[in-house]
Every structure is written in structure tokens, then in C-alpha cells.
Amino acid sequence: MKGLSILGSTGSIGTNVLRVVDAFPGRFEVVGLAAGGNVGVLAEQVARHRPRIVSVADAGGLERLSRLVDLSGLRAVVGREGMVEVATHPDSRMVVASAVGAVGLVPTYRALEAGKDVALANKETLVMAGELMLARARERGVLILPIDSEHCALHECLDGRRPQDVCRLVLTASGGPFRDLPRESFARVTREEALAHPTWRMGPKITIDSATLMNKGLEVIEAHWLFGMPAAKIDVLVHPQSVVHSMVELVDGTVLAQLGVTDMRMPIQYALTYPETWEAAIPGLDFSRAMRLDFAPPDRAKFPCLSLAYRALERGGTAPAALNAANEEAVAAFLGGRAPFPAIPETIETVLDTEPTAGAPALEDVLEADRRARERAREALARRAPAPAAG
Ligand SMILES: NC(=O)c1ccc[n+]([C@@H]2O[C@H](COP(=O)([O-])OP(=O)(O)OC[C@H]3O[C@@H](n4cnc5c(N)ncnc54)[C@H](OP(=O)(O)O)[C@@H]3O)[C@@H](O)[C@H]2O)c1
């Protein structure tokens, strides 16, 4: 039985991780669950899996949880320190990092320090501190296995390949809901329109990131750290069908692609069972039906977030952490109706341009850059005119 601690167990990825766990009875043990404030879902998970440790964002959440489910015999903790305890519990062999955003950084980092393999969905943490996380994983001889479907595809295509044989990584992008919308209409798009992703059902933050293409920008940075490739050798292609999850081009011109259904249980199962391949609990691609595979370069003028992410990666230091923080703040403002859609790239650019250039940062430098960038982002958002009323 492989002991698992799941950070962000109540989210879109977290609940799918538990579906994979349920599909293989007796193979995994849920040791720890960490969530934010959705105590209703967490209570059901606690009742079903009886973990040894559970954590929520704050004391109020714990109080509500204790009214919904029997917590006797398990350790119940709160806040960032609580999440760190879940991530470093001695009985868990693998930590699934599936919280959203910067909140996952310290717990995931501590999990690597504690010698846990990490199945990583929470890409923001690698964007913020990729070099540090890779260094800890190397030191402790543990794995960081991607749950992002694109990186799972690259991992699978690269498995066993020599680095010198690979000339390019190609990340595919659905293009999001505004792929064909003229840029002039962006100022009027609503939260609901932006949340209507054409091919994937995901949490709200990543869905907005997909609409701005920042998700792909974050993934370029994630791929850089996971696979040791320079930015110049990581490309993005818009592929509206989301069937090809990503591709690897070899120096002899061969292109390897991984294809699959749009169901996150596939990459989750890959990460949880690597290096083995277990029979899938879900149906695969149906080739008996006609299928088109279209590819086109992304429109970088229309979706400036992609170029901003490349710029942050090239600048290095704390620039990617600042990019991520500004994006999180701007997306939250858009989702809260406090900023229009174009404010997202504008805020990020303002923050990135004022981020000092620094060398290899320590964890404290990254956290400080995150704090500073959020402050600057909030100021920039406050200076903007309020979002137009929807409709
Ligand atoms: N969804 C996908 O298909 C997909 C695909 C690839 C990568 N990812 C990545 O996976 C991560 C999670 O995405 P998601 O779509 O699953 O997001 P989501 O549905 O919004 O779930 C986010 C999770 O993070 C938890 N969380 C939020 N704030 C927290 C806090 N302060 N303390 C502890 N936990 C907190 C939430 O808990 P509560 O709900 O209890 O507040 C929830 O469990 C993101 O980094 C995303 O980019 C997602």
C-alpha cells in the first residue's frame, strides 16, 4: 500500500485523485488530507478514507469540520503549518500537490526535504521556486512527477531518452474560450464566458489562466524546470481538440506525441503508479469515430500573458515568482468582478517590469518577492477603472 498525502483534496484535481485511489482498492492508503475551506466535501472524504491527519485553512474551518464528521483518532491541524504537517507525515510516501497557487509552495518544498516523492499538479510552486525544488529533489533522491496532462505527456515521451537526442518540446494548448474572439471584445468578456472552457473542467483559477493563455506560460516555465530545457527549445501550439497532450521533437526530425482523452484521471494515474503502467479505469480514445487534429501557432499579440511568462523565465531570479503573484492577484480581481479581463496581462506586465533582477533566490527571497509583487499588483489594479457591469 502506497501512503498518500493529498494537498488540496477538495479541489478538481484532489477529488479526481481520490477517484483514482477508489479505482484501485488496496493499492493506496490515504494518510493525509489538506484542504482550504470546503469542509462539506472534506468531511465526506474524512469519513470515507479515515486519514491519520487532516488540515484546513483556519480554526473556524476546523470547528465546522468537527461538527460534520468524527475526528477522533486522527490529528486535525490548521493553516500553513498544518498543511506542512500533512505533507511531511512519516507514513506518506508520496505527496500529491494539488492545492491551487502559491499556498502550496512551502508544504510541497518541505515534502521534498522530507524525502517524499511529489505528484505535482500545483504548477505555481515550480514557477515560483523551480530551481530550489529541483535541488531538494536531487539531494533527497526523490521524484517530482507531473500531473499536468501536457507534462505527463512530455515525461512519457522523454522516458529513457538521452537529453542530447531531444531538440524541442511542444506544449499543446486548447486556445481557451476566446481563441476566435477578436481582441477588441476582450474588455467586455464576463466571468461566466471566461469560465466556459471548451475541453477541460477545472477549478476557476486555472480556467481563467487557460482563457488568457497564462496557463501555457506557467507550463513553459514548469517544463523548463522539469525537463531541463531552455525557453528557446520549448514551443506552444494551439490544438483545439486537446487530443494530443504534448510532443517531443528529436534531433533526427522524429516527433513523438502522446494522445489521450481529456480526463485528468489519466495523468493522475500515471504519476501515482510510475514507473508501472496499470490498466485504466476509464475508456481510452475512440478511433472508430472521425477525428480531426488541428494545430496553429498561438496569437501572442492577442494573448500577451504567454510572452510575459517567457520574459520572466529569461530574466530568472524572482521574476517568475513575481509573474505568478501578479497573475494570482489579477485573476482573483477578475473573478471577483473588480477588474476587466485585459487588466490581467496589464497588471502582470506592470509588476514584472518593476521586479528587481536577482540571482538564484533562497526560499525566503521567493516568499518576499511573492509578497512584494502582490502589493504592487493590488496597487496597479486599484489604479484602474472598475470592471464594466456584465450583460
Ligand atoms: N483542474 C485541472 O484539470 C488541472 C489540470 C492541470 C493542473 N492543475 C493545477 O492543479 C492545481 C489545482 O487546480 P484545481 O483545478 O484542482 O483547483 P480547485 O478546484 O480550485 O482546487 C483548489 C484546491 O486548493 C485548496 N486550497 C485553496 N486555498 C487553500 C488554502 N489556503 N489552504 C489549503 N488549501 C487551499 C482548495 O481547498 P478548498 O476548496 O477546500 O478551499 C482546493 O482543494 C492548480 O495549480 C492547477 O493549475 C489543474
Side-chain angles (χ1 to χ4, degrees):
M1 288 254 266
K2 188 174 192 170
L4 298 179
S5 278
I6 304 166
L7 313 179
S9 65
T10 49
S12 165
I13 292 290
T15 48
N16 273 308
V17 170
L18 289 169
R19 288 169 79 195
V20 172
V21 166
D22 282 341
F24 298 101
R27 307 298 291 271
F28 300 104
E29 185 194 358
V30 178
V31 171
L33 295 173
N38 191 346
V39 292
V41 170
L42 185 61
E44 285 167 24
Q45 295 177 344
V46 169
R48 181 172 174 80
H49 296 280
R50 295 308 298 172
R52 293 179 203 183
I53 180 164
V54 62
S55 122
V56 289
D58 53 42
L62 186 55
E63 165 66 29
R64 284 182 281 128
L65 183 69
S66 67
R67 275 188 256 120
L68 295 173
V69 67
D70 174 18
L71 296 177
S72 59
L74 59 85
R75 185 161 163 72
V77 286
V78 296
R80 190 169 89 181
E81 287 316 307
M83 212 165 154
V84 169
E85 248 193 85
V86 173
T88 56
H89 193 283
D91 296 339
S92 68
R93 214 171 94 202
M94 174 176 262
V95 170
V96 183
S98 52
V100 62
V103 71
L105 174 60
V106 173
T108 307
Y109 185 78
R110 299 281 176 237
L112 292 167
E113 270 186 340
K116 314 288 181 194
D117 288 330
V118 166
L120 186 98
N122 187 190
K123 63 191 90 182
E124 295 91 344
T125 61
L126 259 198
V127 169
M128 294 173 76
E131 194 167 0
L132 288 168
M133 288 181 51
L134 267 287
R136 291 301 82 76
R138 262 194 308 272
E139 269 165 31
R140 298 304 315 258
V142 293
L143 297 172
I144 302 179
L145 292 159
I147 282 184
D148 236 340
S149 58
E150 294 79 359
H151 302 73
C152 170
L154 293 174
H155 194 273
E156 220 163 348
C157 292
L158 287 168
D159 212 12
R161 301 250 156 225
R162 302 180 312 167
Q164 63 268 37
D165 298 345
V166 177
C167 73
R168 195 163 69 114
L169 306 182
V170 182
L171 290 162
T172 53
S174 71
F178 305 138
R179 182 169 48 93
D180 298 322
L181 191 73
R183 193 180 181 178
E184 302 70 56
S185 309
F186 277 15
R188 289 187 302 280
V189 301
T190 65
R191 182 182 188 276
E192 287 62 38
E193 287 165 341
L195 285 173
H197 194 278
T199 50
W200 293 97
R201 294 287 153 263
M202 311 179 284
K205 192 262 180 182
I206 184 176
T207 306
I208 302 302
D209 286 348
S210 301
T212 61
L213 283 205
M214 179 51 93
N215 184 46
K216 224 36 63 176
L218 299 177
E219 288 180 7
V220 167
I221 303 176
E222 185 185 7
H224 163 75
W225 291 117
L226 284 174
F227 307 115
M229 280 295 235
K233 291 186 171 184
I234 308 173
D235 281 348
V236 171
L237 265 187
V238 173
H239 167 49
Q241 293 85 4
S242 300
V243 168
V244 174
H245 293 315
S246 275
M247 298 183 270
V248 169
E249 188 177 334
L250 304 180
V251 286
D252 67 0
T254 305
V255 177
L256 306 171
Q258 189 241 44
L259 285 69
V261 292
T262 49
D263 189 319
M264 287 308 292
R265 286 176 290 171
M266 283 195 59
I268 290 168
Q269 183 177 318
Y270 178 84
L272 263 50
T273 62
Y274 182 83
E276 296 173 12
T277 304
W278 295 2
E279 199 174 323
I282 48 172
L285 276 178
D286 181 2
F287 285 108
S288 68
R289 294 192 1 220
M291 182 189 295
R292 278 183 58 161
L293 301 178
D294 297 309
F295 300 96
D299 184 338
R300 284 172 180 251
K302 196 163 123 180
F303 297 104
C305 284
L306 186 56
S307 300
L308 289 170
Y310 273 98
R311 201 194 293 174
L313 179 55
E314 275 147 25
R315 285 205 23 216
T318 51
L323 169 103
N324 179 68
N327 182 52
E328 285 190 25
E329 290 295 324
V331 169
F334 172 70
L335 283 171
R338 289 175 281 114
F341 191 71
I344 299 174
E346 286 168 24
T347 306
I348 298 165
E349 186 160 26
T350 305
V351 171
L352 196 57
D353 284 349
T354 51
E355 178 62 17
T357 305
L363 186 62
E364 294 66 35
D365 303 324
V366 171
L367 295 173
E368 175 55 21
D370 175 78
R371 194 196 55 73
R372 269 194 330 255
R374 283 176 196 276
E375 231 169 63
R376 297 203 303 280
R378 283 186 211 125
E379 283 162 16
L381 286 160
R383 281 196 300 273
R384 276 192 64 102

